[in-house]
PDB file of all heavy atoms in Angstrom:
ATOM      1  N   PRO A   1      24.921 -34.022 -35.012  1.00  0.00           N
ATOM      2  CA  PRO A   1      26.290 -33.697 -34.623  1.00  0.00           C
ATOM      3  C   PRO A   1      26.321 -32.621 -33.551  1.00  0.00           C
ATOM      4  O   PRO A   1      25.586 -31.631 -33.616  1.00  0.00           O
ATOM      5  CB  PRO A   1      26.917 -33.215 -35.926  1.00  0.00           C
ATOM      6  CG  PRO A   1      26.136 -33.919 -36.990  1.00  0.00           C
ATOM      7  CD  PRO A   1      24.725 -33.976 -36.467  1.00  0.00           C
ATOM      8  N   GLY A   2      27.185 -32.826 -32.575  1.00  0.00           N
ATOM      9  CA  GLY A   2      27.268 -31.930 -31.438  1.00  0.00           C
ATOM     10  C   GLY A   2      26.373 -32.299 -30.288  1.00  0.00           C
ATOM     11  O   GLY A   2      26.507 -31.723 -29.196  1.00  0.00           O
ATOM     12  N   GLY A   3      25.486 -33.248 -30.496  1.00  0.00           N
ATOM     13  CA  GLY A   3      24.576 -33.669 -29.450  1.00  0.00           C
ATOM     14  C   GLY A   3      25.202 -34.650 -28.484  1.00  0.00           C
ATOM     15  O   GLY A   3      26.379 -34.999 -28.586  1.00  0.00           O
ATOM     16  N   SER A   4      24.388 -35.110 -27.558  1.00  0.00           N
ATOM     17  CA  SER A   4      24.845 -35.992 -26.495  1.00  0.00           C
ATOM     18  C   SER A   4      23.928 -37.186 -26.336  1.00  0.00           C
ATOM     19  O   SER A   4      22.723 -37.113 -26.600  1.00  0.00           O
ATOM     20  CB  SER A   4      24.895 -35.246 -25.155  1.00  0.00           C
ATOM     21  OG  SER A   4      25.818 -34.182 -25.179  1.00  0.00           O
ATOM     22  N   LEU A   5      24.510 -38.278 -25.893  1.00  0.00           N
ATOM     23  CA  LEU A   5      23.778 -39.467 -25.501  1.00  0.00           C
ATOM     24  C   LEU A   5      24.462 -40.063 -24.281  1.00  0.00           C
ATOM     25  O   LEU A   5      25.673 -39.924 -24.106  1.00  0.00           O
ATOM     26  CB  LEU A   5      23.745 -40.517 -26.609  1.00  0.00           C
ATOM     27  CG  LEU A   5      22.862 -40.266 -27.822  1.00  0.00           C
ATOM     28  CD1 LEU A   5      23.131 -41.325 -28.885  1.00  0.00           C
ATOM     29  CD2 LEU A   5      21.392 -40.267 -27.437  1.00  0.00           C
ATOM     30  N   ARG A   6      23.683 -40.742 -23.481  1.00  0.00           N
ATOM     31  CA  ARG A   6      24.213 -41.475 -22.337  1.00  0.00           C
ATOM     32  C   ARG A   6      23.834 -42.940 -22.484  1.00  0.00           C
ATOM     33  O   ARG A   6      22.653 -43.292 -22.443  1.00  0.00           O
ATOM     34  CB  ARG A   6      23.662 -40.927 -21.029  1.00  0.00           C
ATOM     35  CG  ARG A   6      24.295 -41.534 -19.770  1.00  0.00           C
ATOM     36  CD  ARG A   6      23.441 -41.218 -18.570  1.00  0.00           C
ATOM     37  NE  ARG A   6      24.103 -41.497 -17.309  1.00  0.00           N
ATOM     38  CZ  ARG A   6      23.460 -41.706 -16.159  1.00  0.00           C
ATOM     39  NH1 ARG A   6      22.141 -41.645 -16.115  1.00  0.00           N
ATOM     40  NH2 ARG A   6      24.145 -41.948 -15.053  1.00  0.00           N
ATOM     41  N   LEU A   7      24.831 -43.774 -22.670  1.00  0.00           N
ATOM     42  CA  LEU A   7      24.608 -45.198 -22.777  1.00  0.00           C
ATOM     43  C   LEU A   7      24.714 -45.852 -21.409  1.00  0.00           C
ATOM     44  O   LEU A   7      25.518 -45.448 -20.575  1.00  0.00           O
ATOM     45  CB  LEU A   7      25.625 -45.842 -23.714  1.00  0.00           C
ATOM     46  CG  LEU A   7      25.737 -45.262 -25.125  1.00  0.00           C
ATOM     47  CD1 LEU A   7      26.730 -46.088 -25.942  1.00  0.00           C
ATOM     48  CD2 LEU A   7      24.381 -45.208 -25.807  1.00  0.00           C
ATOM     49  N   SER A   8      23.900 -46.873 -21.203  1.00  0.00           N
ATOM     50  CA  SER A   8      23.930 -47.645 -19.975  1.00  0.00           C
ATOM     51  C   SER A   8      24.214 -49.098 -20.294  1.00  0.00           C
ATOM     52  O   SER A   8      23.798 -49.611 -21.332  1.00  0.00           O
ATOM     53  CB  SER A   8      22.592 -47.542 -19.227  1.00  0.00           C
ATOM     54  OG  SER A   8      22.321 -46.219 -18.831  1.00  0.00           O
ATOM     55  N   CYS A   9      24.906 -49.749 -19.391  1.00  0.00           N
ATOM     56  CA  CYS A   9      25.202 -51.172 -19.485  1.00  0.00           C
ATOM     57  C   CYS A   9      24.800 -51.789 -18.164  1.00  0.00           C
ATOM     58  O   CYS A   9      25.466 -51.563 -17.146  1.00  0.00           O
ATOM     59  CB  CYS A   9      26.686 -51.385 -19.772  1.00  0.00           C
ATOM     60  SG  CYS A   9      27.230 -53.107 -19.744  1.00  0.00           S
ATOM     61  N   ALA A  10      23.723 -52.534 -18.171  1.00  0.00           N
ATOM     62  CA  ALA A  10      23.184 -53.128 -16.960  1.00  0.00           C
ATOM     63  C   ALA A  10      23.444 -54.626 -16.948  1.00  0.00           C
ATOM     64  O   ALA A  10      23.236 -55.310 -17.957  1.00  0.00           O
ATOM     65  CB  ALA A  10      21.688 -52.856 -16.856  1.00  0.00           C
ATOM     66  N   ALA A  11      23.879 -55.124 -15.814  1.00  0.00           N
ATOM     67  CA  ALA A  11      24.200 -56.538 -15.661  1.00  0.00           C
ATOM     68  C   ALA A  11      23.087 -57.268 -14.934  1.00  0.00           C
ATOM     69  O   ALA A  11      22.456 -56.720 -14.030  1.00  0.00           O
ATOM     70  CB  ALA A  11      25.505 -56.715 -14.900  1.00  0.00           C
ATOM     71  N   SER A  12      22.868 -58.496 -15.333  1.00  0.00           N
ATOM     72  CA  SER A  12      21.991 -59.393 -14.603  1.00  0.00           C
ATOM     73  C   SER A  12      22.654 -60.757 -14.519  1.00  0.00           C
ATOM     74  O   SER A  12      23.395 -61.152 -15.414  1.00  0.00           O
ATOM     75  CB  SER A  12      20.615 -59.502 -15.258  1.00  0.00           C
ATOM     76  OG  SER A  12      20.710 -60.056 -16.558  1.00  0.00           O
ATOM     77  N   GLY A  13      22.397 -61.460 -13.438  1.00  0.00           N
ATOM     78  CA  GLY A  13      22.978 -62.772 -13.254  1.00  0.00           C
ATOM     79  C   GLY A  13      24.372 -62.778 -12.661  1.00  0.00           C
ATOM     80  O   GLY A  13      24.900 -63.856 -12.369  1.00  0.00           O
ATOM     81  N   PHE A  14      24.969 -61.615 -12.504  1.00  0.00           N
ATOM     82  CA  PHE A  14      26.274 -61.510 -11.872  1.00  0.00           C
ATOM     83  C   PHE A  14      26.455 -60.095 -11.367  1.00  0.00           C
ATOM     84  O   PHE A  14      25.688 -59.196 -11.724  1.00  0.00           O
ATOM     85  CB  PHE A  14      27.409 -61.924 -12.809  1.00  0.00           C
ATOM     86  CG  PHE A  14      27.600 -61.027 -14.000  1.00  0.00           C
ATOM     87  CD1 PHE A  14      28.624 -60.094 -14.029  1.00  0.00           C
ATOM     88  CD2 PHE A  14      26.770 -61.126 -15.100  1.00  0.00           C
ATOM     89  CE1 PHE A  14      28.823 -59.283 -15.135  1.00  0.00           C
ATOM     90  CE2 PHE A  14      26.947 -60.319 -16.213  1.00  0.00           C
ATOM     91  CZ  PHE A  14      27.978 -59.401 -16.229  1.00  0.00           C
ATOM     92  N   THR A  15      27.475 -59.911 -10.569  1.00  0.00           N
ATOM     93  CA  THR A  15      27.753 -58.608  -9.976  1.00  0.00           C
ATOM     94  C   THR A  15      28.840 -57.915 -10.780  1.00  0.00           C
ATOM     95  O   THR A  15      29.956 -58.417 -10.897  1.00  0.00           O
ATOM     96  CB  THR A  15      28.188 -58.758  -8.514  1.00  0.00           C
ATOM     97  OG1 THR A  15      27.142 -59.404  -7.780  1.00  0.00           O
ATOM     98  CG2 THR A  15      28.468 -57.400  -7.889  1.00  0.00           C
ATOM     99  N   LEU A  16      28.512 -56.754 -11.305  1.00  0.00           N
ATOM    100  CA  LEU A  16      29.438 -56.064 -12.194  1.00  0.00           C
ATOM    101  C   LEU A  16      30.715 -55.636 -11.501  1.00  0.00           C
ATOM    102  O   LEU A  16      31.744 -55.499 -12.163  1.00  0.00           O
ATOM    103  CB  LEU A  16      28.768 -54.835 -12.816  1.00  0.00           C
ATOM    104  CG  LEU A  16      28.174 -54.951 -14.213  1.00  0.00           C
ATOM    105  CD1 LEU A  16      27.838 -53.565 -14.736  1.00  0.00           C
ATOM    106  CD2 LEU A  16      29.108 -55.671 -15.162  1.00  0.00           C
ATOM    107  N   ASP A  17      30.663 -55.400 -10.209  1.00  0.00           N
ATOM    108  CA  ASP A  17      31.859 -54.890  -9.551  1.00  0.00           C
ATOM    109  C   ASP A  17      32.972 -55.916  -9.431  1.00  0.00           C
ATOM    110  O   ASP A  17      34.057 -55.577  -8.958  1.00  0.00           O
ATOM    111  CB  ASP A  17      31.538 -54.239  -8.202  1.00  0.00           C
ATOM    112  CG  ASP A  17      30.955 -55.194  -7.177  1.00  0.00           C
ATOM    113  OD1 ASP A  17      30.824 -56.404  -7.464  1.00  0.00           O
ATOM    114  OD2 ASP A  17      30.625 -54.723  -6.076  1.00  0.00           O
ATOM    115  N   TYR A  18      32.724 -57.144  -9.862  1.00  0.00           N
ATOM    116  CA  TYR A  18      33.795 -58.132  -9.944  1.00  0.00           C
ATOM    117  C   TYR A  18      34.612 -57.998 -11.223  1.00  0.00           C
ATOM    118  O   TYR A  18      35.627 -58.696 -11.379  1.00  0.00           O
ATOM    119  CB  TYR A  18      33.223 -59.548  -9.897  1.00  0.00           C
ATOM    120  CG  TYR A  18      32.603 -59.967  -8.590  1.00  0.00           C
ATOM    121  CD1 TYR A  18      31.786 -61.095  -8.535  1.00  0.00           C
ATOM    122  CD2 TYR A  18      32.828 -59.270  -7.416  1.00  0.00           C
ATOM    123  CE1 TYR A  18      31.204 -61.503  -7.349  1.00  0.00           C
ATOM    124  CE2 TYR A  18      32.250 -59.667  -6.222  1.00  0.00           C
ATOM    125  CZ  TYR A  18      31.441 -60.791  -6.195  1.00  0.00           C
ATOM    126  OH  TYR A  18      30.867 -61.191  -5.016  1.00  0.00           O
ATOM    127  N   TYR A  19      34.202 -57.137 -12.128  1.00  0.00           N
ATOM    128  CA  TYR A  19      34.780 -57.102 -13.461  1.00  0.00           C
ATOM    129  C   TYR A  19      35.190 -55.706 -13.885  1.00  0.00           C
ATOM    130  O   TYR A  19      34.552 -54.712 -13.532  1.00  0.00           O
ATOM    131  CB  TYR A  19      33.768 -57.626 -14.490  1.00  0.00           C
ATOM    132  CG  TYR A  19      33.332 -59.044 -14.257  1.00  0.00           C
ATOM    133  CD1 TYR A  19      32.215 -59.325 -13.484  1.00  0.00           C
ATOM    134  CD2 TYR A  19      34.048 -60.105 -14.804  1.00  0.00           C
ATOM    135  CE1 TYR A  19      31.815 -60.628 -13.263  1.00  0.00           C
ATOM    136  CE2 TYR A  19      33.645 -61.410 -14.587  1.00  0.00           C
ATOM    137  CZ  TYR A  19      32.533 -61.663 -13.813  1.00  0.00           C
ATOM    138  OH  TYR A  19      32.132 -62.962 -13.599  1.00  0.00           O
ATOM    139  N   ALA A  20      36.247 -55.660 -14.679  1.00  0.00           N
ATOM    140  CA  ALA A  20      36.469 -54.485 -15.498  1.00  0.00           C
ATOM    141  C   ALA A  20      35.437 -54.464 -16.617  1.00  0.00           C
ATOM    142  O   ALA A  20      34.987 -55.515 -17.085  1.00  0.00           O
ATOM    143  CB  ALA A  20      37.882 -54.500 -16.090  1.00  0.00           C
ATOM    144  N   ILE A  21      35.044 -53.270 -17.044  1.00  0.00           N
ATOM    145  CA  ILE A  21      34.047 -53.118 -18.098  1.00  0.00           C
ATOM    146  C   ILE A  21      34.646 -52.304 -19.234  1.00  0.00           C
ATOM    147  O   ILE A  21      35.271 -51.267 -19.005  1.00  0.00           O
ATOM    148  CB  ILE A  21      32.774 -52.432 -17.590  1.00  0.00           C
ATOM    149  CG1 ILE A  21      32.150 -53.232 -16.446  1.00  0.00           C
ATOM    150  CG2 ILE A  21      31.771 -52.254 -18.734  1.00  0.00           C
ATOM    151  CD1 ILE A  21      31.682 -54.625 -16.844  1.00  0.00           C
ATOM    152  N   GLY A  22      34.430 -52.782 -20.431  1.00  0.00           N
ATOM    153  CA  GLY A  22      34.847 -52.050 -21.613  1.00  0.00           C
ATOM    154  C   GLY A  22      33.666 -51.696 -22.485  1.00  0.00           C
ATOM    155  O   GLY A  22      32.658 -52.416 -22.517  1.00  0.00           O
ATOM    156  N   TRP A  23      33.781 -50.569 -23.157  1.00  0.00           N
ATOM    157  CA  TRP A  23      32.861 -50.186 -24.222  1.00  0.00           C
ATOM    158  C   TRP A  23      33.598 -50.306 -25.553  1.00  0.00           C
ATOM    159  O   TRP A  23      34.724 -49.806 -25.695  1.00  0.00           O
ATOM    160  CB  TRP A  23      32.349 -48.755 -24.055  1.00  0.00           C
ATOM    161  CG  TRP A  23      31.294 -48.586 -23.005  1.00  0.00           C
ATOM    162  CD1 TRP A  23      31.464 -48.168 -21.728  1.00  0.00           C
ATOM    163  CD2 TRP A  23      29.893 -48.813 -23.167  1.00  0.00           C
ATOM    164  NE1 TRP A  23      30.259 -48.114 -21.073  1.00  0.00           N
ATOM    165  CE2 TRP A  23      29.273 -48.511 -21.932  1.00  0.00           C
ATOM    166  CE3 TRP A  23      29.094 -49.241 -24.233  1.00  0.00           C
ATOM    167  CZ2 TRP A  23      27.890 -48.627 -21.734  1.00  0.00           C
ATOM    168  CZ3 TRP A  23      27.724 -49.358 -24.039  1.00  0.00           C
ATOM    169  CH2 TRP A  23      27.142 -49.053 -22.807  1.00  0.00           C
ATOM    170  N   PHE A  24      32.948 -50.942 -26.496  1.00  0.00           N
ATOM    171  CA  PHE A  24      33.477 -51.125 -27.840  1.00  0.00           C
ATOM    172  C   PHE A  24      32.438 -50.651 -28.837  1.00  0.00           C
ATOM    173  O   PHE A  24      31.258 -50.550 -28.516  1.00  0.00           O
ATOM    174  CB  PHE A  24      33.818 -52.595 -28.092  1.00  0.00           C
ATOM    175  CG  PHE A  24      34.889 -53.140 -27.198  1.00  0.00           C
ATOM    176  CD1 PHE A  24      34.606 -53.531 -25.896  1.00  0.00           C
ATOM    177  CD2 PHE A  24      36.192 -53.264 -27.651  1.00  0.00           C
ATOM    178  CE1 PHE A  24      35.587 -54.028 -25.062  1.00  0.00           C
ATOM    179  CE2 PHE A  24      37.191 -53.759 -26.825  1.00  0.00           C
ATOM    180  CZ  PHE A  24      36.887 -54.141 -25.538  1.00  0.00           C
ATOM    181  N   ARG A  25      32.878 -50.386 -30.052  1.00  0.00           N
ATOM    182  CA  ARG A  25      31.936 -50.004 -31.099  1.00  0.00           C
ATOM    183  C   ARG A  25      32.359 -50.611 -32.422  1.00  0.00           C
ATOM    184  O   ARG A  25      33.534 -50.879 -32.660  1.00  0.00           O
ATOM    185  CB  ARG A  25      31.807 -48.484 -31.213  1.00  0.00           C
ATOM    186  CG  ARG A  25      33.053 -47.772 -31.707  1.00  0.00           C
ATOM    187  CD  ARG A  25      32.852 -46.261 -31.635  1.00  0.00           C
ATOM    188  NE  ARG A  25      33.997 -45.533 -32.155  1.00  0.00           N
ATOM    189  CZ  ARG A  25      34.155 -44.222 -32.065  1.00  0.00           C
ATOM    190  NH1 ARG A  25      33.216 -43.479 -31.473  1.00  0.00           N
ATOM    191  NH2 ARG A  25      35.235 -43.638 -32.569  1.00  0.00           N
ATOM    192  N   GLN A  26      31.373 -50.802 -33.273  1.00  0.00           N
ATOM    193  CA  GLN A  26      31.636 -51.351 -34.591  1.00  0.00           C
ATOM    194  C   GLN A  26      30.726 -50.674 -35.608  1.00  0.00           C
ATOM    195  O   GLN A  26      29.501 -50.736 -35.494  1.00  0.00           O
ATOM    196  CB  GLN A  26      31.423 -52.858 -34.623  1.00  0.00           C
ATOM    197  CG  GLN A  26      31.876 -53.510 -35.914  1.00  0.00           C
ATOM    198  CD  GLN A  26      31.985 -55.009 -35.800  1.00  0.00           C
ATOM    199  OE1 GLN A  26      31.354 -55.633 -34.949  1.00  0.00           O
ATOM    200  NE2 GLN A  26      32.799 -55.609 -36.649  1.00  0.00           N
ATOM    201  N   ALA A  27      31.340 -50.035 -36.575  1.00  0.00           N
ATOM    202  CA  ALA A  27      30.621 -49.426 -37.674  1.00  0.00           C
ATOM    203  C   ALA A  27      30.550 -50.415 -38.832  1.00  0.00           C
ATOM    204  O   ALA A  27      31.388 -51.314 -38.945  1.00  0.00           O
ATOM    205  CB  ALA A  27      31.316 -48.143 -38.115  1.00  0.00           C
ATOM    206  N   PRO A  28      29.568 -50.262 -39.724  1.00  0.00           N
ATOM    207  CA  PRO A  28      29.457 -51.189 -40.855  1.00  0.00           C
ATOM    208  C   PRO A  28      30.738 -51.250 -41.675  1.00  0.00           C
ATOM    209  O   PRO A  28      31.304 -50.217 -42.039  1.00  0.00           O
ATOM    210  CB  PRO A  28      28.306 -50.607 -41.671  1.00  0.00           C
ATOM    211  CG  PRO A  28      27.477 -49.870 -40.669  1.00  0.00           C
ATOM    212  CD  PRO A  28      28.468 -49.292 -39.698  1.00  0.00           C
ATOM    213  N   GLY A  29      31.196 -52.456 -41.943  1.00  0.00           N
ATOM    214  CA  GLY A  29      32.385 -52.651 -42.740  1.00  0.00           C
ATOM    215  C   GLY A  29      33.692 -52.388 -42.038  1.00  0.00           C
ATOM    216  O   GLY A  29      34.747 -52.456 -42.682  1.00  0.00           O
ATOM    217  N   LYS A  30      33.652 -52.087 -40.746  1.00  0.00           N
ATOM    218  CA  LYS A  30      34.865 -51.792 -40.005  1.00  0.00           C
ATOM    219  C   LYS A  30      35.053 -52.772 -38.858  1.00  0.00           C
ATOM    220  O   LYS A  30      34.111 -53.442 -38.433  1.00  0.00           O
ATOM    221  CB  LYS A  30      34.828 -50.361 -39.461  1.00  0.00           C
ATOM    222  CG  LYS A  30      34.811 -49.287 -40.540  1.00  0.00           C
ATOM    223  CD  LYS A  30      34.891 -47.900 -39.938  1.00  0.00           C
ATOM    224  CE  LYS A  30      34.929 -46.833 -41.014  1.00  0.00           C
ATOM    225  NZ  LYS A  30      35.011 -45.471 -40.429  1.00  0.00           N
ATOM    226  N   GLU A  31      36.275 -52.850 -38.380  1.00  0.00           N
ATOM    227  CA  GLU A  31      36.585 -53.708 -37.251  1.00  0.00           C
ATOM    228  C   GLU A  31      36.076 -53.105 -35.954  1.00  0.00           C
ATOM    229  O   GLU A  31      35.964 -51.883 -35.810  1.00  0.00           O
ATOM    230  CB  GLU A  31      38.092 -53.928 -37.159  1.00  0.00           C
ATOM    231  CG  GLU A  31      38.689 -54.679 -38.339  1.00  0.00           C
ATOM    232  CD  GLU A  31      38.196 -56.093 -38.425  1.00  0.00           C
ATOM    233  OE1 GLU A  31      38.089 -56.761 -37.377  1.00  0.00           O
ATOM    234  OE2 GLU A  31      37.901 -56.553 -39.548  1.00  0.00           O
ATOM    235  N   ARG A  32      35.786 -53.968 -35.013  1.00  0.00           N
ATOM    236  CA  ARG A  32      35.398 -53.511 -33.690  1.00  0.00           C
ATOM    237  C   ARG A  32      36.589 -52.831 -33.016  1.00  0.00           C
ATOM    238  O   ARG A  32      37.715 -53.333 -33.068  1.00  0.00           O
ATOM    239  CB  ARG A  32      34.910 -54.689 -32.852  1.00  0.00           C
ATOM    240  CG  ARG A  32      34.334 -54.303 -31.507  1.00  0.00           C
ATOM    241  CD  ARG A  32      33.660 -55.490 -30.837  1.00  0.00           C
ATOM    242  NE  ARG A  32      32.538 -55.974 -31.635  1.00  0.00           N
ATOM    243  CZ  ARG A  32      31.657 -56.877 -31.204  1.00  0.00           C
ATOM    244  NH1 ARG A  32      31.767 -57.386 -29.981  1.00  0.00           N
ATOM    245  NH2 ARG A  32      30.674 -57.271 -32.006  1.00  0.00           N
ATOM    246  N   GLU A  33      36.328 -51.693 -32.393  1.00  0.00           N
ATOM    247  CA  GLU A  33      37.378 -50.967 -31.719  1.00  0.00           C
ATOM    248  C   GLU A  33      36.975 -50.636 -30.294  1.00  0.00           C
ATOM    249  O   GLU A  33      35.806 -50.396 -30.000  1.00  0.00           O
ATOM    250  CB  GLU A  33      37.746 -49.687 -32.473  1.00  0.00           C
ATOM    251  CG  GLU A  33      36.655 -48.654 -32.540  1.00  0.00           C
ATOM    252  CD  GLU A  33      37.073 -47.385 -33.261  1.00  0.00           C
ATOM    253  OE1 GLU A  33      38.269 -47.220 -33.566  1.00  0.00           O
ATOM    254  OE2 GLU A  33      36.193 -46.539 -33.529  1.00  0.00           O
ATOM    255  N   GLY A  34      37.967 -50.608 -29.430  1.00  0.00           N
ATOM    256  CA  GLY A  34      37.728 -50.233 -28.054  1.00  0.00           C
ATOM    257  C   GLY A  34      37.528 -48.744 -27.922  1.00  0.00           C
ATOM    258  O   GLY A  34      38.254 -47.949 -28.522  1.00  0.00           O
ATOM    259  N   VAL A  35      36.558 -48.343 -27.128  1.00  0.00           N
ATOM    260  CA  VAL A  35      36.222 -46.945 -26.911  1.00  0.00           C
ATOM    261  C   VAL A  35      36.679 -46.476 -25.536  1.00  0.00           C
ATOM    262  O   VAL A  35      37.269 -45.410 -25.397  1.00  0.00           O
ATOM    263  CB  VAL A  35      34.715 -46.720 -27.071  1.00  0.00           C
ATOM    264  CG1 VAL A  35      34.345 -45.274 -26.759  1.00  0.00           C
ATOM    265  CG2 VAL A  35      34.270 -47.091 -28.479  1.00  0.00           C
ATOM    266  N   SER A  36      36.399 -47.278 -24.528  1.00  0.00           N
ATOM    267  CA  SER A  36      36.734 -46.904 -23.165  1.00  0.00           C
ATOM    268  C   SER A  36      36.674 -48.132 -22.283  1.00  0.00           C
ATOM    269  O   SER A  36      36.054 -49.136 -22.634  1.00  0.00           O
ATOM    270  CB  SER A  36      35.760 -45.834 -22.650  1.00  0.00           C
ATOM    271  OG  SER A  36      36.143 -45.351 -21.375  1.00  0.00           O
ATOM    272  N   CYS A  37      37.313 -48.052 -21.138  1.00  0.00           N
ATOM    273  CA  CYS A  37      37.204 -49.121 -20.156  1.00  0.00           C
ATOM    274  C   CYS A  37      37.393 -48.547 -18.767  1.00  0.00           C
ATOM    275  O   CYS A  37      37.921 -47.444 -18.596  1.00  0.00           O
ATOM    276  CB  CYS A  37      38.196 -50.265 -20.413  1.00  0.00           C
ATOM    277  SG  CYS A  37      39.948 -49.825 -20.319  1.00  0.00           S
ATOM    278  N   ILE A  38      36.959 -49.317 -17.783  1.00  0.00           N
ATOM    279  CA  ILE A  38      37.028 -48.886 -16.393  1.00  0.00           C
ATOM    280  C   ILE A  38      37.282 -50.110 -15.521  1.00  0.00           C
ATOM    281  O   ILE A  38      36.706 -51.173 -15.745  1.00  0.00           O
ATOM    282  CB  ILE A  38      35.735 -48.139 -15.988  1.00  0.00           C
ATOM    283  CG1 ILE A  38      35.849 -47.526 -14.601  1.00  0.00           C
ATOM    284  CG2 ILE A  38      34.512 -49.055 -16.093  1.00  0.00           C
ATOM    285  CD1 ILE A  38      34.727 -46.527 -14.302  1.00  0.00           C
ATOM    286  N   ILE A  39      38.160 -49.950 -14.534  1.00  0.00           N
ATOM    287  CA  ILE A  39      38.474 -51.077 -13.669  1.00  0.00           C
ATOM    288  C   ILE A  39      37.388 -51.262 -12.619  1.00  0.00           C
ATOM    289  O   ILE A  39      36.461 -50.461 -12.506  1.00  0.00           O
ATOM    290  CB  ILE A  39      39.862 -50.928 -13.015  1.00  0.00           C
ATOM    291  CG1 ILE A  39      39.921 -49.725 -12.062  1.00  0.00           C
ATOM    292  CG2 ILE A  39      40.948 -50.828 -14.078  1.00  0.00           C
ATOM    293  CD1 ILE A  39      41.181 -49.699 -11.211  1.00  0.00           C
ATOM    294  N   ARG A  40      37.513 -52.325 -11.855  1.00  0.00           N
ATOM    295  CA  ARG A  40      36.457 -52.685 -10.912  1.00  0.00           C
ATOM    296  C   ARG A  40      36.104 -51.577  -9.933  1.00  0.00           C
ATOM    297  O   ARG A  40      34.931 -51.303  -9.684  1.00  0.00           O
ATOM    298  CB  ARG A  40      36.855 -53.941 -10.127  1.00  0.00           C
ATOM    299  CG  ARG A  40      36.879 -55.211 -10.965  1.00  0.00           C
ATOM    300  CD  ARG A  40      37.530 -56.337 -10.203  1.00  0.00           C
ATOM    301  NE  ARG A  40      38.953 -56.090  -9.999  1.00  0.00           N
ATOM    302  CZ  ARG A  40      39.731 -56.798  -9.200  1.00  0.00           C
ATOM    303  NH1 ARG A  40      39.231 -57.818  -8.509  1.00  0.00           N
ATOM    304  NH2 ARG A  40      41.017 -56.506  -9.096  1.00  0.00           N
ATOM    305  N   SER A  41      37.127 -50.930  -9.403  1.00  0.00           N
ATOM    306  CA  SER A  41      36.898 -49.887  -8.411  1.00  0.00           C
ATOM    307  C   SER A  41      36.460 -48.564  -9.025  1.00  0.00           C
ATOM    308  O   SER A  41      36.009 -47.673  -8.306  1.00  0.00           O
ATOM    309  CB  SER A  41      38.176 -49.653  -7.607  1.00  0.00           C
ATOM    310  OG  SER A  41      39.173 -49.064  -8.419  1.00  0.00           O
TER     311      SER A  41
END
């Protein structure tokens, strides 16, 4: 607790800048929830 992590999402087979990107998370027994998103630009 209190620490930091940096997650990366790397694309292959397509160009990421054509898409909005979202980060989601799912804990055991819970529904998937949106964490963050970013538009193409």
